[in-house]
Amino acid sequence: MARINFQRFLDLMAQQAEIGATPEGGLNRPALSEMDIRARQWLFERATAAGLEVAMDGAGNQRVMLRANDPDAQTLLIGSHLDSVPNGGRFDGALGVVAGLEVLLTLKDSGAELPFHVEVVNFTDEEGTLRGLLGSSAMTGTLTAEGLPNVRGGADALQEGLSRLGLSSETLLNARRDFANVMGYLEVHIEQGTRLEQAGINIGVVTSIVGVRSYWLTLTGEAAHAGTKPMADRRDALWGAAHLIQQARELVLQYFQPGVVNFGSIHAEPGAFNIVPAEVRLALEFRHGDPEKLDAMQTALFNVIRRSATEFNLEVEITPAGLIPPAPMAEPMVQLVEQAASGLGLSHTRLMSFAGHDAQSLANVTPSVMFFVPSVRGISHNPAEYSTPQDCINAAEVMLQAVLGLADR
Amino acid sequence: MARINFQRFLDLMAQQAEIGATPEGGLNRPALSEMDIRARQWLFERATAAGLEVAMDGAGNQRVMLRANDPDAQTLLIGSHLDSVPNGGRFDGALGVVAGLEVLLTLKDSGAELPFHVEVVNFTDEEGTLRGLLGSSAMTGTLTAEGLPNVRGGADALQEGLSRLGLSSETLLNARRDFANVMGYLEVHIEQGTRLEQAGINIGVVTSIVGVRSYWLTLTGEAAHAGTKPMADRRDALWGAAHLIQQARELVLQYFQPGVVNFGSIHAEPGAFNIVPAEVRLALEFRHGDPEKLDAMQTALFNVIRRSATEFNLEVEITPAGLIPPAPMAEPMVQLVEQAASGLGLSHTRLMSFAGHDAQSLANVTPSVMFFVPSVRGISHNPAEYSTPQDCINAAEVMLQAVLGLADR
């Protein structure tokens, strides 16, 4: 059985972690920053030095290719991202790209002849310093010109970042790839949670990347003197908000696990000690991997919200603030990863990904799968993020066996 | 039985309401603004024209005096305020000053010889545009130099306002009056609530002005990814806040009525759709007229807060943000007003004042009482604030009979 060169692989992991390293042991490598661009140079240099082919598309996505003998062969994609959140960790994204590179190096060393091209992609701005899933959206054709002026990092920062690579909005919007010759997509990532660690399992095979729905809730009652207005006569918007937060929490815990709900932001007007709140604005977000359960969750949550409003004599307005559909992984690809893990004697389980990943863009256009390795204490987007060397090695080994397994099918 | 001149009185009420009148029928007459100063001129002009003596102290409190024959006689004070909140109503404060003026005019017309001086006071800045209860605190000696830099309207606005009357911080801090010769204090005000209106009662005699305690609560949990962190493992500060708001509300409704509690302001950090709130800052205010019940309320509320924090695995910090002790009214003065109302055939009831008033400053230094007349729909600090002409007349009539009743004691 072919195995990766684990010393070379850990050395590559250490090298990438030096680029943008922070004193706390993390990484500060936001998309298209100076450090991100240095990481990109490093990736291309290592690939070129090993005789691999490299290319960059109009979205800045980096492609490192191991060609099959047949130029008309299909292509298997392996991807993740080298960018980090500001002051993030050394594993998030980088593990997937470096594991992919190590797989290509191992395959090249072994002289194995695969019936397909294998291509590793470093996607631009997965983390959202600029827009989030920027490169994978552009490549899969879901990025549109309309959204660009309102990207979360600002339109100017996006232009500036692209220009550092000699790119522009025009090249970005024309980066759509033809997926007719792509046979599938594989991605490995740290879990960013504690399910694998708590269960003592090596590999989590993702069956779905959860859908995320965000809404602004506005509850409107009536401002009143907090002394003279009897409590029974108040229309206190914060009472309604407090009630619905509790009800929503209990609803999801009881009926929609492993779905999750969050109220991340709250604001009360007019906002004084001695005035009964007239209006509360509340950020609601909920996630589920199953499209039907996500719909049912929305119906039940909206019922809870409306019942709370009625109970406290408030008006309520529910305004959409974002909608990411669930991205189910392809069952044959899920089984491919399970077989690869089993073949290596690694334990594995199926789970949903509650965070977004480039795989959710790819799942729209090609059979895709993600898998996770454990994160110590689930710490993520933080310099203390950590996965053990053995878990990192497992990531690359399973990836290699999955690629080889696909060649055997 | 002496009666006021109700046409003159209603005319005086209409005159004052023109000064700072807003298009919506309210008043915009913040303390020591141009309009407040014009209202002050109007008061002194009317008093002087009627042969009453006028004076102003170092805090800007205006005094209008009807002298007894005996220069060594004691003084009965009648007070309220001509300043309004920004965009407030025509009755709040003004009714008490104008009713007091009408009582003096009636007494002067009647040639009655009272065994005490009667003095009407227009207190500076009751409403808190600058500081709140500014004039009555200065007069009764509870205003200190330490607090002046941090007044709610800002130290500069306070200086500027005082200078418009030719006054300063020094004159303000030296405005303390000797109360040895003051026999008592009377104040009439609109209710700013609906208890009288709902019960169909003419006069509410205040037994206590409620104590008000304000605290900042800070609940601290842990920020986390709102997708990947399982709900059962979260330390969501907003869950704790929502829980304690509900518990506190139910506690007060069940055990501490007519006490009230309010959470007027709330803020969650970091404040994003996809991040579990790590910290919530919450403004707590509660009121009760009975000092022992106010203490018991505090103990019970703090228990609820700490239990909610424990239940959601949060830390909690409770920081004092203001403490106004309850101000019980003097029982003989309460009975004086009750007798005056009964003598006029007006129905009356005892109640607490849930709003602050200058009477709470005066209650510290002299036997004091307040009474209320109904407010239509309880609307207050609003251009739509309204009390009927008959209720305004009742205010002045009861005040006159109370003054005469005191002369008979």
Side-chain angles (χ1 to χ4, degrees):
Chain A
M1 182 187 268
R3 301 300 285 253
I4 65 156
N5 179 335
F6 71 84
Q7 267 167 326
R8 174 177 60 193
F9 169 61
L10 294 178
D11 191 43
L12 289 169
M13 278 301 289
Q15 286 173 28
Q16 69 79 22
E18 279 168 26
I19 307 169
T22 63
E24 302 88 17
L27 271 192
N28 194 28
R29 203 156 68 197
L32 304 187
S33 67
E34 188 196 335
M35 286 301 153
D36 185 38
I37 287 174
R38 281 185 47 195
R40 290 161 166 271
Q41 290 170 333
W42 169 85
L43 176 63
F44 271 7
E45 281 167 16
R46 297 302 312 221
T48 309
L52 297 166
E53 198 181 322
V54 302
M56 182 175 79
D57 70 13
N61 296 314
Q62 289 187 293
R63 302 162 59 184
V64 177
M65 292 164 283
L66 177 69
R67 294 282 183 192
N69 287 335
D70 177 5
D72 295 332
Q74 288 204 293
T75 299
L76 174 68
L77 299 180
I78 297 173
S80 203
H81 58 96
L82 287 177
D83 70 310
S84 81
V85 297
N87 204 24
R90 308 157 61 137
F91 300 86
D92 184 343
L95 175 65
V97 174
V98 176
L101 176 62
E102 175 57 33
V103 167
L104 294 197
L105 297 176
T106 300
L107 289 171
K108 185 147 180 81
D109 290 349
S110 72
E113 286 190 15
L114 296 185
F116 45 78
H117 310 305
V118 186
E119 178 179 326
V120 171
V121 184
N122 168 30
F123 288 108
T124 301
D125 183 41
E126 191 270 351
E127 292 290 7
T129 306
L130 302 169
R131 187 263 191 191
L133 306 187
L134 179 69
S136 60
S137 299
M139 184 188 278
T140 58
T142 57
L143 190 76
T144 59
E146 293 72 45
L148 290 190
N150 304 314
V151 292
R152 56 194 269 186
D156 291 349
L158 177 60
Q159 293 303 333
E160 205 181 304
L162 289 170
S163 70
R164 284 193 201 113
L165 294 178
L167 304 174
S168 68
S169 297
E170 285 67 40
T171 66
L172 178 66
L173 290 166
N174 287 295
R176 184 172 191 159
R177 177 172 182 156
D178 179 1
F179 276 82
N181 279 316
V182 175
M183 62 192 297
Y185 176 76
L186 292 167
E187 180 169 357
V188 61
H189 204 278
I190 57 167
E191 186 195 350
Q192 303 175 279
T194 55
R195 290 167 295 175
L196 294 177
E197 182 182 61
Q198 284 179 3
I201 291 176
N202 300 121
I203 301 292
V205 189
V206 174
T207 53
S208 179
I209 300 175
V210 297
V212 185
R213 297 190 187 171
S214 313
Y215 292 88
W216 280 113
L217 309 182
T218 308
L219 295 156
T220 308
E222 197 173 50
H225 191 295
T228 59
K229 185 80 166 185
M231 284 178 66
D233 298 341
R234 296 182 184 182
R235 298 177 61 209
D236 184 327
L238 187 53
W239 287 350
H243 189 262
L244 79 84
I245 288 169
Q246 281 215 290
Q247 296 285 309
R249 175 178 173 273
E250 281 163 25
L251 175 83
V252 173
L253 282 172
Q254 195 167 353
Y255 298 108
F256 292 102
Q257 295 214 58
V260 290
V261 64
N262 187 51
F263 296 92
S265 171
I266 187 167
H267 180 76
E269 286 284 344
F273 273 101
N274 59 353
I275 305 180
V276 172
E279 185 183 294
V280 167
R281 202 167 142 82
L282 197 55
L284 162 68
E285 186 196 82
F286 54 97
R287 305 181 185 220
H288 205 292
D290 179 322
E292 279 176 33
K293 287 190 179 144
L294 189 62
D295 282 341
M297 211 172 161
Q298 172 159 328
T299 303
L301 283 167
F302 284 14
N303 281 341
V304 156
I305 291 162
R306 296 210 174 91
R307 274 203 305 270
S308 292
T310 303
E311 184 170 336
F312 290 91
N313 197 14
L314 307 171
E315 272 114 54
V316 64
E317 208 182 297
I318 305 179
T319 313
L323 193 149
I324 300 169
M329 301 289 98
E331 176 62 24
M333 297 295 273
V334 169
Q335 290 177 13
L336 178 72
V337 173
E338 287 174 331
Q339 286 155 10
S342 294
L344 288 159
L346 298 174
S347 57
H348 55 84
T349 186
R350 293 182 172 207
L351 37 65
M352 288 179 189
S353 169
F354 281 85
H357 294 288
D358 289 311
Q360 74 201 47
S361 301
L362 277 294
N364 293 323
V365 291
T366 193
S368 299
V369 71
M370 279 195 86
F371 62 96
F372 291 155
V373 294
S375 301
V376 172
R377 294 200 290 128
I379 296 168
S380 169
H381 288 186
N382 189 304
E385 176 185 285
Y386 186 68
S387 290
T388 65
Q390 186 58 55
D391 283 326
C392 292
I393 290 168
N394 290 347
E397 292 282 27
V398 172
M399 184 63 81
L400 175 63
Q401 296 308 319
V403 173
L404 294 173
L406 201 59
D408 286 344
R409 275 193 181 174
Chain B
M1 182 188 270
R3 302 299 286 252
I4 65 154
N5 179 336
F6 70 86
Q7 266 167 328
R8 173 176 62 194
F9 169 61
L10 293 179
D11 192 42
L12 289 169
M13 278 300 288
Q15 285 173 29
Q16 69 81 22
E18 280 167 26
I19 308 170
T22 62
E24 302 86 19
L27 270 189
N28 194 28
R29 204 156 69 194
L32 304 186
S33 66
E34 188 196 333
M35 286 299 152
D36 184 39
I37 287 173
R38 280 183 50 192
R40 290 161 166 271
Q41 290 169 332
W42 170 85
L43 175 64
F44 270 7
E45 281 167 17
R46 298 301 313 222
T48 309
L52 296 166
E53 200 180 320
V54 302
M56 182 174 80
D57 71 12
N61 297 314
Q62 289 187 293
R63 302 163 58 185
V64 177
M65 292 164 284
L66 177 68
R67 296 282 185 191
N69 287 335
D70 177 2
D72 295 331
Q74 289 204 293
T75 299
L76 174 68
L77 299 180
I78 298 173
S80 204
H81 58 97
L82 288 178
D83 72 309
S84 81
V85 295
N87 204 25
R90 308 157 61 137
F91 300 87
D92 183 344
L95 175 67
V97 174
V98 176
L101 176 62
E102 175 57 34
V103 166
L104 294 196
L105 297 175
T106 300
L107 289 170
K108 183 141 182 87
D109 290 349
S110 74
E113 287 190 11
L114 294 186
F116 45 80
H117 311 303
V118 186
E119 180 179 325
V120 171
V121 183
N122 168 31
F123 288 108
T124 301
D125 182 40
E126 191 269 351
E127 293 290 7
T129 307
L130 302 169
R131 187 264 191 191
L133 307 185
L134 178 71
S136 59
S137 299
M139 184 188 278
T140 59
T142 56
L143 190 77
T144 60
E146 292 73 44
L148 289 191
N150 302 315
V151 292
R152 56 193 268 185
D156 290 350
L158 177 60
Q159 292 303 334
E160 203 181 306
L162 289 170
S163 71
R164 285 194 201 111
L165 294 177
L167 303 174
S168 68
S169 296
E170 286 67 40
T171 66
L172 177 67
L173 290 166
N174 285 295
R176 183 173 192 158
R177 178 173 182 156
D178 179 3
F179 276 82
N181 278 317
V182 174
M183 61 192 299
Y185 175 77
L186 293 166
E187 179 169 358
V188 63
H189 203 278
I190 57 166
E191 185 195 350
Q192 304 175 277
T194 54
R195 290 166 295 177
L196 296 176
E197 182 182 62
Q198 284 180 2
I201 291 176
N202 301 121
I203 300 291
V205 190
V206 174
T207 53
S208 179
I209 299 175
V210 296
V212 185
R213 296 190 187 171
S214 314
Y215 292 88
W216 280 113
L217 311 182
T218 307
L219 295 156
T220 307
E222 197 171 51
H225 190 295
T228 60
K229 185 80 165 184
M231 285 178 66
D233 297 341
R234 296 183 184 182
R235 298 177 61 211
D236 184 328
L238 187 53
W239 287 351
H243 189 261
L244 79 83
I245 288 169
Q246 280 214 291
Q247 296 285 307
R249 174 177 173 272
E250 281 164 25
L251 176 84
V252 173
L253 282 170
Q254 193 166 355
Y255 298 108
F256 292 102
Q257 297 215 56
V260 289
V261 65
N262 187 50
F263 297 92
S265 172
I266 187 166
H267 181 76
E269 285 284 344
F273 273 100
N274 58 352
I275 305 180
V276 172
E279 185 183 295
V280 166
R281 202 166 142 83
L282 198 55
L284 163 67
E285 186 197 84
F286 54 96
R287 306 181 184 221
H288 205 292
D290 179 321
E292 281 177 32
K293 287 191 180 146
L294 190 62
D295 283 341
M297 211 171 161
Q298 173 160 327
T299 303
L301 282 168
F302 283 14
N303 281 341
V304 156
I305 291 162
R306 295 209 175 91
R307 274 203 305 270
S308 291
T310 303
E311 186 171 336
F312 290 90
N313 197 14
L314 307 171
E315 272 112 56
V316 64
E317 208 182 297
I318 305 178
T319 313
L323 193 150
I324 302 168
M329 302 288 99
E331 177 63 22
M333 297 295 273
V334 169
Q335 290 176 13
L336 178 72
V337 173
E338 288 174 330
Q339 286 154 12
S342 294
L344 288 159
L346 297 173
S347 56
H348 54 84
T349 187
R350 293 182 172 207
L351 38 66
M352 289 179 188
S353 170
F354 281 86
H357 293 287
D358 290 312
Q360 74 200 47
S361 301
L362 278 294
N364 293 323
V365 292
T366 192
S368 300
V369 70
M370 278 196 86
F371 61 97
F372 291 155
V373 294
S375 301
V376 172
R377 293 199 291 131
I379 296 167
S380 169
H381 288 185
N382 188 303
E385 175 186 285
Y386 186 69
S387 290
T388 65
Q390 186 57 55
D391 284 326
C392 292
I393 290 167
N394 289 347
E397 293 282 26
V398 172
M399 184 63 80
L400 175 63
Q401 295 309 318
V403 172
L404 295 172
L406 201 59
D408 286 344
R409 276 195 178 170

